[in-house]
Amino acid sequence: MSKKDGKYLTTGEFAKLCKVNKQTLFYYDQIGLLTPVMKNKNGYRFYSVHQLELFFVIDLLKDLGMSLGDIQQYMQNKSPEKFLALMYQQKEEIVKKRQEIEAKEKMIEAKIALMEEASNIPFNRITLEQLPEATLYLSRKIENITDEEFVEVISDFIEELSVSYLDSGYPIGSITEREQVLKGEYSNYSYLYIEQPTPKEGHPYFKAVKGDFLIGYHLGDENTIGTTYTRLFTEMERLNLALGDYVFEELVYDSVVQNQSEHYVTKIMMQVEPK
């Protein structure tokens, strides 16, 4: 056949329209995925303009993560019904990916805001502040459990954050109940938590009530955190306050932003009330 009566495209022309190199089209032909409509006696391949839509669908499915093998399977057993089912399936995949991207965007926005806020905090100060009500997603109770049980609980907690898109980008903190703090068991946490600025329905949440909190920052790792608790209790006495039901801890600077543990910063929020 000669070029062209205007109805056919050479491999180079077709490749240019599809924004791929000719080798891609040769490979698709080789595996039977997209075969030229005509080949002349000299081996030149010619494509129909109507095959552009087929290429674009193949390219779309590839972009959505479908393997060439799976695309081949569909191409070998095409039908309007199967195509419609395939499109519905891919639409579900896109919705899922969009949710994942939106969740990651919110996580990044939260981390930016927290890091910018931290850069303006004088970590040597202790302040009395009224904190607003907050919605927290909690782990199972971890008070007095073994190391093996703790690993299991935190694994389940992290998995649920991922599966249910509950990772808000806020730091994973810990709640310690009053009794443990008064006994000096500062690391005998009761729960792990992550703040949920936009809570989703269908999940059990803990409401951290609005109230007065004595807030201090510990510089260093948890092995020396008792020194900062001592400072907080001294300030509590000076202000004639008593410890409330809970103490909350959150890492401000950790191994993500600091190389040495002596530069880690932990925010301690002690719920307090008048004596």
Side-chain angles (χ1 to χ4, degrees), residues 187-203:
S187 298
N188 189 7
Y189 309 124
S190 303
Y191 302 93
L192 301 176
Y193 72 86
I194 188 168
E195 189 172 343
Q196 301 289 293
T198 53
K200 298 180 180 179
E201 292 184 5
H203 297 282

Side-chain angles (χ1 to χ4, degrees), residues 224-237:
T224 58
I225 203 167
T227 58
T228 302
Y229 271 93
T230 298
R231 288 177 56 226
L232 283 161
F233 276 116
T234 300
E235 182 66 5
M236 196 183 302
E237 283 294 319

Side-chain angles (χ1 to χ4, degrees), residues 218 220-226:
H218 173 65
D221 61 27
E222 65 177 24
N223 294 322
T224 58
I225 203 167

Side-chain angles (χ1 to χ4, degrees), residues 13-31:
E13 291 168 337
F14 194 79
K16 186 175 181 180
L17 289 172
C18 296
K19 296 182 173 60
V20 295
N21 57 47
K22 289 193 291 185
Q23 283 67 35
T24 298
L25 296 181
F26 293 153
Y27 181 64
Y28 284 2
D29 182 18
Q30 180 185 337
I31 65 175

